[in-house]
Amino acid sequence: MSGSGLWQQLFTRQSKTRKPAPAPLPDQIEAIRQRAIGGHHLDQVLWGKVLLNSAHVPPDHAQALIWFTMAANAGYGPAHNMLGRCHHFGWGCEKNLQQAAHHYDAAARLGDEWGRYNLGILTMRGLGMQQDLKKALGLFTAAAHNGHAKSMNLLARFLEEGWETPQDKAAALVWYQKSAEGGDYRGCHNYATALADTGQVEDALHWWRQALPDATSDILLAMERSLTALGPASDPALYAALQERLQKLPGQGEPAAGAA
């Protein structure tokens, strides 16, 4: 679709859904919106993300999709990645894994490491395409060498398990460490697990503390198993904080706010 057509969609959508003026946006968010209107591709993507999920405006996934499309049409890699996310999860459009893969691939070709990683996930799992572990390894390897922390963790997993590459646990440990230092909670957990297995308990506890704030349910449960095996007394504060997060998981204690 042409840029003028996308602007017309935005105008028409806003005209049909006109409501009383909302509260003013915070200055920083309003500045992003204004730069997006001015044609800045990064800010078009940022404004689209605000429209997907923000406390500042009601969610409007269809309009977010339009902003991502405008930036993607200009050849901006991160916008293609976000279009991939929209098609992957059905945000503002029908869920379509083939279209998601198409946009992730476009993002990767334009040098976007999140696009490369997301394409690797689909390829590894055989979603929207035939499973191809060798291709997935290539994608994760390229993104890892370009500094993408989540890809570092998956490269480490391939090396640890010997998937489509000679098994190399020493190299896996190096990449888990890089992933952890890069801030990926899965990398933090996997590095902590490897350290604990070699008796480096204090270092392991440090990395589990780093993993805890952002960890998803699968990692929280894996952490609980590991800490239970070590004994809660190894770090009572960490164990208590972990239990508090576990109680907020859906189906345990009170449901987590906003859980889907």
Side-chain angles (χ1 to χ4, degrees), residues 122-136:
L122 295 188
T123 306
M124 178 177 70
R125 296 177 178 170
L127 300 174
M129 64 182 72
Q130 185 174 353
Q131 185 184 47
D132 188 337
L133 291 181
K134 184 175 183 179
K135 181 180 177 181

Side-chain angles (χ1 to χ4, degrees), residues 7-199:
W7 280 113
Q8 183 61 40
Q9 277 196 35
L10 281 171
F11 177 78
T12 301
R13 182 176 181 83
Q14 290 170 342
S15 297
K16 289 181 177 179
T17 60
R18 193 175 299 278
K19 296 178 180 179
L25 292 171
D27 290 345
Q28 183 180 4
I29 303 299
E30 177 60 21
I32 289 172
R33 190 180 75 89
Q34 291 297 332
R35 289 193 297 266
I37 292 170
H40 293 265
H41 306 319
L42 169 60
D43 294 287
Q44 288 172 341
V45 170
L46 292 176
W47 178 238
K49 289 181 178 181
V50 170
L51 292 168
L52 283 180
N53 183 23
S54 169
H56 304 298
V57 297
D60 190 335
H61 291 183
Q63 194 172 104
L65 186 75
I66 293 172
W67 285 104
F68 296 144
T69 301
M70 281 193 287
N73 285 348
Y76 188 56
H80 275 290
N81 176 61
M82 289 308 302
L83 282 178
R85 299 281 286 172
C86 288
H87 287 288
H88 192 158
F89 298 104
W91 299 336
C93 58
E94 293 293 325
K95 183 175 178 178
N96 186 320
L97 291 175
Q98 289 80 13
Q99 277 297 308
H102 167 76
H103 285 292
Y104 290 150
D105 181 65
R109 291 177 186 276
L110 289 165
D112 182 68
E113 302 310 329
W114 276 106
R116 204 182 312 276
Y117 166 80
N118 286 324
L119 180 61
I121 292 293
L122 295 188
T123 306
M124 178 177 70
R125 296 177 178 170
L127 300 174
M129 64 182 72
Q130 185 174 353
Q131 185 184 47
D132 188 337
L133 291 181
K134 184 175 183 179
K135 181 180 177 181
L137 173 60
L139 290 163
F140 295 138
T141 299
H145 282 280
N146 288 332
H148 191 260
K150 285 190 174 295
S151 296
M152 293 173 186
N153 175 65
L154 281 166
L155 171 57
R157 185 67 187 279
F158 272 72
L159 288 164
E160 182 180 25
E161 302 295 340
W163 296 337
E164 298 295 333
T165 187
Q167 188 177 52
D168 189 336
K169 293 191 175 183
L173 185 64
V174 170
W175 282 108
Y176 280 140
Q177 180 177 358
K178 288 178 180 289
S179 176
E181 291 172 347
D184 178 47
Y185 67 85
R186 291 182 184 276
C188 289
H189 167 70
N190 288 329
Y191 186 44
T193 301
L195 290 170
D197 287 345
T198 59

Side-chain angles (χ1 to χ4, degrees), residues 209-227:
R209 292 185 204 107
Q210 302 307 306
L212 182 61
D214 297 320
T216 48
S217 59
D218 59 325
I219 297 300
L220 292 173
L221 291 168
M223 287 175 60
E224 182 185 39
R225 290 192 294 271
S226 296
L227 290 174

